[in-house]
Amino acid sequence: MEILGHLFDGFLISFEPLNLALVIFGAAIGLFIGAMPGLGSVNGVAILLPMTFLVPPTSAVIFLGAIYYGAMYGGAISSIMLGIPGASTAVATTFDGRPLAMKGEADRALVAAATASFIGGTISVILFTAFAPPLAEVALAFGPPEEFALMMLAFATFIGLGGDDIPKTLFSILIGLVLSAVGLDIVSGEPRLIFMDLPGFMHGINFLVLAIGIYGIGEMLWTVELSKGEVMISQATISVRRVFDSLRELLKTWKTMLMGSFLGYFVGILPAAGATPGSLMAYGFAKTIAKDPDSFGKGNVDGVVAPEAANNAASTGSMLPMLTLGIPGSPTTAILLGGMVIWGLEPGPLLFVEHTEFVWGLIASLYSANLFALLINIAFIPAFIWVLKLPFTVLAPIIFMLCIIGGYVPTLDMHDVWLMLVFGVVGYLMRKLDYPLAPAVLAIVLGPLAERSLRQSLIGSQGDVMIFFERPISGTILIIALLLFVLPAVRVFRQRSHNPNLA
Amino acid sequence: MKIFMTSVLSAVMGALIGLGTIVVSDTSEAAWQPKKPVEFVIMAGKGGGADRLARFIQGIIEKNKLSSKPLVPINKGGGSGAEALQYLKSKKGDNHVIMATLNSYYTTPLRQKGLGVDIGSFTPIARMAEDTFQLWVHVDTGITNVKEYVAAVKKAGKKWKMGGTGKGAEDSLVTAMLEKKFGLGVTYVPYKGGGKVAKELIGKHINSTVNNPSEQVGFWDAGKSRPLASFTPKGKLKGKWGKIPTFEDLGHGADMVYYMQRSVVAPGGMSDDARDFYVDLFEKVYRSEEWQNYLVKKGLIPGWLTGEKLQKYFLEERSKHAKLLSK
């Protein structure tokens, strides 16, 4: 009951005219920032942070929270429409969102993304409201062995990601892992895999550079080849009836939505993970539990729903360690944390006690930010569809330009732009040879996290591998992961016994 | 009519510009102003202590409108700051780039000789503060003082896990100091950033840390962690931080001292006028209420330094670190 009382007070705060205006304004800005390739919630929050000195801290964090949420919605837009991930959190949305758009069902994908974002966001805020303090304990219980086990679980779902060609999937994962090792050794600090001594490799290979290269540039080359210079116009339509039809169809994906929301929220809580791994893992799990895993990557709505529910849920989840432990759960919350210091607030275990107005104002505003982001997003879908109707000869240069901007903005380094072009060509060739690309993208995101937690665990245990199995949480997760590794083999075996002709 | 308006406007503008020049020539100081946004390079990734501090400084400048053009923070954390140092070197003579430093300012060029970076060639702007280190344990360990700590670590041997941020990082140097002094041999586990180290201590995945005050203060206030001793000289820390004994107070000698400097530097060859502008800007930040409150609250030691004195300090610290690293 105490919680409901706090929440009610929070709603009173979030419905003050100034705060309500900031929520709507923030959600709209976030939507735009998320939709621009290369600009994600990190950039949005960092750029607008200085503006927040004009308002009280509670309004400031409400504004930035709304931007964060809006960006999670917006990221899906360019992933679906243009095949360029709008933000790192929306890369997994590209996997099935883009094929749907190519089939002329962009409106369905957009509605699915917006709805899933709303559900993911809402479920996670409810979880946040009810269970913030106990979940903070969960985050604390997660040490390096548990993190490593979780990463293994994610890798296990990859094997299912690449379709039936397991050797090609493994190859793709390994390429991703090698690329993820570029930069500085995390323990000794020595540079490693600095190709041709280029200083640009010192900061490692930015995952967005790979994703925009493969999906943006690679996709464009692919379409150019398909169209052979002819003017191509995507079939894209939108009508109120179609929107309602899509909504009705979405009811079937409720399981995926719930799974994505819970998984995303949980991954978001863990410090250092955040929305990008969360959305990728949700995609992998959705595929693993699906009845028709083969249709993933070819335009399955579940493949849009899972990552979109997860990335919104994770963005709420990552606020939990920020507020209760003072540790950012994602790069964006790291910037928010900086903001809190400037506003004179001390994040940590005492924040919930000493600044109830701030905490509950923020939580309540997340409910309304979610709602407004959904409404704004749905209202703009016809405008997005109109963009798709442009001839490809007009769209291609725009996509190309957006890719270049997207590659340059995160690090302001031309090195990354060249690298992105290389990845574009390589991605195109891999696609021609029928190599799955998603596992490589997943590996470059999770590789550093897995490596770090593996080495930390083993240093701590003096090299004893049993540490992963002795601890209850990591032991359980690892065993599930091992079972999942074996699952595709079982499936292949079963298919063959059902269908002897295939063997 | 339109022409008339334009000519009136240009006349007014001309008068204003004339007035401006007179005013400026009257006060020969602060003549230089940035002509475009200033790049504020940060030697570390987003979210770490150095990043948060730099953004806090940017916040003070924005809030109090201390600069006509904004400072734009850019993180170049690659290679323990090697990326940032190389960038600063390549910006020789640029008046619109400054950099926030930490101790990797000396250790990185020392450890990566191939960089070819000589910090003596950069332009010192200001030392804003010196950050301190304490030895921390979880309250549940029941350890309340250094003596009990040493006994517990000796008993555990290599099983005792000390969290830190990487080989050659400040906390690893402090750990080495501690090991040498008391004849200990701990297992040093590297994490990404001091905030994560602090969380791992509270989650009991490691046994002790040498965190900065700002990283542990929230947990200390909540009664979860306990500082055993400060790596500072006697009597330097104020407020609640001053109540923590120093190693010198405990009779372990005056050599158990280590600081993390928080300074601002600029590329070599920056014009004197531009340098004076930045020195003046950061002096205003240093004197601001926000900064002074932050220093007390977060257990930092105030220590304004600029010009030749700051350069001398940097070079002395560099040779000190060369010795520490060679061990």
Side-chain angles (χ1 to χ4, degrees):
Chain A
M1 274 327 280
E2 198 198 337
I3 286 175
L4 288 180
H6 281 314
L7 188 63
F8 182 73
D9 293 341
F11 270 115
L12 290 184
I13 296 167
S14 76
F15 285 136
E16 281 168 21
L18 170 71
N19 294 345
L20 199 61
L22 283 174
V23 163
I24 298 174
F25 186 49
I29 292 183
L31 204 66
F32 174 75
I33 286 173
M36 283 294 292
L39 283 181
S41 54
V42 183
N43 313 78
V45 170
I47 294 165
L48 293 167
L49 186 63
M51 269 180 65
T52 60
F53 303 132
L54 306 171
V55 292
T58 309
S59 307
V61 79
I62 286 174
F63 179 56
L64 296 179
I67 293 175
Y68 195 11
Y69 254 45
M72 291 295 150
Y73 279 82
I77 295 166
S78 46
S79 298
I80 293 169
M81 306 290 300
L82 307 174
I84 320 170
S88 61
T89 49
V91 170
T93 314
T94 322
F95 300 163
D96 274 277
R98 183 62 183 157
L100 273 171
M102 298 297 270
K103 284 199 282 184
E105 296 183 4
D107 56 335
R108 237 178 105 204
L110 287 170
V111 171
T115 316
S117 297
F118 178 71
I119 301 285
T122 307
I123 288 180
S124 62
V125 185
I126 293 172
L127 287 174
F128 194 115
T129 311
F131 305 113
L135 281 171
E137 296 290 319
V138 174
L140 277 179
F142 254 70
E146 285 77 17
E147 279 171 26
F148 180 71
L150 194 70
M151 291 305 134
M152 283 303 106
L153 188 61
F155 276 112
T157 63
F158 285 23
I159 304 290
L161 265 181
D164 289 330
D165 202 335
I166 290 175
K168 279 186 175 172
T169 307
L170 280 176
F171 177 80
S172 187
I173 289 180
L174 293 176
I175 288 281
L177 285 178
V178 169
L179 293 178
S180 81
V182 171
L184 288 183
D185 184 282
I186 51 169
V187 174
S188 69
E190 298 294 323
R192 62 183 186 191
L193 293 177
I194 307 296
F195 302 113
M196 294 178 286
D197 279 330
L198 289 171
F201 283 114
M202 285 285 216
H203 58 65
I205 293 178
N206 188 328
F207 139 79
L208 211 50
V209 167
L210 180 79
I212 294 181
I214 288 181
Y215 288 99
I217 306 274
E219 175 82 28
M220 204 176 57
L221 293 174
W222 184 253
T223 319
V224 166
E225 188 191 300
L226 277 183
S227 67
K228 300 219 164 59
E230 281 170 41
V231 176
M232 256 181 47
I233 299 181
S234 321
Q235 303 162 332
T237 43
I238 176 96
S239 69
V240 178
R241 239 196 87 186
R242 276 179 67 101
V243 170
F244 277 105
D245 283 349
S246 334
L247 280 175
R248 198 167 321 124
E249 254 181 81
L250 272 177
L251 287 177
K252 285 186 215 149
T253 64
W254 67 272
K255 261 193 226 162
T256 314
M257 275 193 200
L258 280 185
M259 185 277 299
S261 307
F262 281 100
L263 182 75
Y265 181 67
F266 185 69
V267 173
I269 288 176
L270 304 176
T276 306
S279 60
L280 290 165
M281 284 166 77
Y283 183 87
F285 279 111
K287 186 169 177 180
T288 311
I289 57 170
K291 289 197 191 84
D292 50 348
D294 291 345
S295 65
F296 275 74
K298 293 168 194 145
N300 187 323
V301 176
D302 279 296
V304 174
V305 166
E308 279 303 308
N311 68 21
N312 272 62
S315 59
T316 317
S318 60
M319 296 212 184
L320 190 108
M322 172 186 88
L323 294 173
T324 58
L325 304 174
I327 308 159
S330 68
T332 312
T333 45
I335 311 265
L336 278 177
L337 205 59
M340 289 173 66
V341 177
I342 305 171
W343 305 323
L345 294 165
E346 184 69 62
L350 297 181
L351 187 74
F352 276 69
V353 186
E354 288 171 0
H355 297 279
T356 41
E357 182 187 308
F358 175 85
V359 171
W360 290 97
L362 170 65
I363 293 176
S365 76
L366 291 179
Y367 285 95
S368 47
N370 224 338
L371 183 68
F372 285 111
L374 176 74
L375 294 178
I376 296 170
N377 197 343
I378 298 257
F380 274 103
I381 286 180
F384 303 143
I385 297 289
W386 176 80
V387 172
L388 261 195
K389 286 187 178 169
L390 292 171
F392 188 70
T393 40
V394 175
L395 211 47
I398 297 177
I399 295 179
F400 186 70
M401 199 180 72
L402 288 175
C403 286
I404 302 284
I405 296 171
Y408 181 71
V409 168
T411 50
L412 304 179
D413 193 345
M414 270 313 280
H415 168 86
D416 282 354
V417 176
W418 301 121
L419 199 61
M420 184 187 70
L421 293 174
V422 172
F423 283 139
V425 175
V426 173
Y428 163 74
L429 292 175
M430 277 176 77
R431 204 170 152 177
K432 281 215 84 149
L433 299 171
D434 209 19
Y435 277 92
L437 298 172
V441 175
L442 287 142
I444 202 174
V445 176
L446 300 184
L449 298 174
E451 185 200 347
R452 187 178 286 276
S453 55
L454 174 68
R455 293 177 69 175
Q456 283 164 351
S457 307
L458 290 178
I459 290 173
S461 74
Q462 315 283 314
D464 184 359
V465 188
M466 285 314 287
I467 186 166
F468 296 110
F469 296 97
E470 281 163 2
R471 297 161 63 112
I473 305 178
S474 74
T476 317
I477 300 176
L478 259 188
I479 287 167
I480 300 174
L482 288 176
L483 289 176
L484 277 176
F485 270 119
V486 191
L487 187 72
V490 175
R491 200 178 267 156
V492 170
F493 182 73
R494 258 181 36 199
Q495 270 174 358
R496 284 188 184 169
S497 58
H498 276 295
N499 221 342
N501 297 340
L502 274 177
Chain B
M1 188 61 197
K2 208 170 183 184
I3 295 165
F4 172 71
M5 285 286 281
T6 325
S7 52
V8 168
L9 255 175
S10 51
V12 171
M13 289 292 279
L16 278 176
I17 291 166
L19 205 68
T21 19
I22 295 163
V23 172
V24 166
S25 57
D26 272 356
T27 54
S28 51
E29 278 175 86
W32 189 87
Q33 288 283 332
K35 286 160 197 70
K36 57 180 186 185
V38 177
E39 286 183 29
F40 192 20
V41 180
I42 302 165
M43 287 185 77
K46 287 194 180 100
D51 181 52
R52 276 195 236 168
L53 201 73
R55 287 175 194 276
F56 179 57
I57 291 174
Q58 181 216 2
I60 295 176
I61 292 171
E62 291 275 336
K63 195 174 172 186
N64 299 317
K65 301 187 174 59
L66 299 179
S67 171
S68 57
K69 291 279 185 282
L71 268 64
V72 184
I74 299 173
N75 296 81
K76 290 193 182 286
S80 301
E83 198 195 344
L85 287 163
Q86 270 188 336
Y87 183 74
L88 204 67
K89 191 182 163 193
S90 74
K91 288 286 171 180
K92 191 166 193 255
D94 193 322
N95 287 341
H96 292 86
V97 180
I98 52 174
M99 181 171 87
T101 69
L102 52 163
N103 284 8
S104 51
Y105 186 57
Y106 343 109
T107 53
T108 300
L110 284 170
R111 293 171 65 219
Q112 301 181 28
K113 300 270 189 231
L115 278 181
V117 168
D118 175 16
I119 58 168
S121 68
F122 294 146
T123 309
I125 301 289
R127 187 179 75 186
M128 303 298 289
E130 288 180 298
D131 212 342
T132 61
F133 292 85
Q134 281 78 28
L135 175 62
W136 298 87
V137 290
H138 196 293
V139 284
D140 290 356
T141 56
I143 296 171
T144 55
N145 57 48
V146 174
K147 209 174 149 196
E148 286 169 19
Y149 175 81
V150 172
V153 179
K154 281 201 168 142
K155 203 175 150 209
K158 273 282 175 193
K159 281 201 178 128
W160 191 273
K161 283 180 267 181
M162 175 73 98
T165 54
K167 199 176 162 190
E170 294 77 7
D171 49 38
S172 79
L173 298 176
V174 176
T175 304
M177 235 185 220
L178 196 68
E179 284 182 307
K180 195 172 163 237
K181 188 80 181 182
F182 297 103
L184 309 173
V186 298
T187 297
Y188 178 83
V189 187
Y191 291 91
K192 195 178 182 178
K196 182 88 198 251
V197 174
K199 177 239 148 191
E200 294 288 308
L201 182 72
I202 305 311
K204 299 184 194 171
H205 303 292
I206 46 179
N207 306 100
S208 61
T209 70
V210 279
N211 274 118
N212 292 135
S214 64
E215 294 159 349
Q216 278 285 358
V217 66
F219 299 118
W220 186 25
D221 289 346
K224 303 228 173 193
S225 63
R226 178 181 294 144
L228 299 178
S230 285
F231 293 87
T232 54
K234 236 176 171 165
K236 270 268 189 178
L237 282 171
K238 304 279 177 258
K240 67 176 174 187
W241 301 100
K243 297 201 180 102
I244 306 169
T246 67
F247 282 94
E248 195 182 348
D249 291 330
L250 297 170
H252 299 297
D255 57 336
M256 294 287 280
V257 167
Y258 190 83
Y259 292 125
M260 168 95 96
Q261 50 92 9
R262 306 282 188 188
S263 308
V264 181
V265 297
M270 175 179 263
S271 75
D272 290 354
D273 290 345
R275 184 197 61 208
D276 292 345
F277 166 82
Y278 291 116
V279 171
D280 182 55
L281 173 68
F282 283 99
E283 196 169 357
K284 281 179 193 150
V285 174
Y286 184 81
R287 292 218 181 117
S288 70
E289 205 188 322
E290 289 96 339
W291 184 254
Q292 289 301 326
N293 285 342
Y294 185 85
L295 294 182
V296 176
K297 219 168 136 193
K298 303 285 176 151
L300 276 80
I301 296 176
W304 172 261
L305 260 188
T306 185
E308 282 306 311
K309 278 186 187 157
L310 179 56
Q311 193 73 320
K312 194 168 156 255
Y313 166 83
F314 282 146
L315 298 178
E316 278 172 12
E317 284 289 307
R318 180 172 68 179
S319 47
K320 222 187 270 176
H321 278 84
K323 265 186 223 148
L324 279 172
L325 284 169
S326 66
K327 273 176 198 162

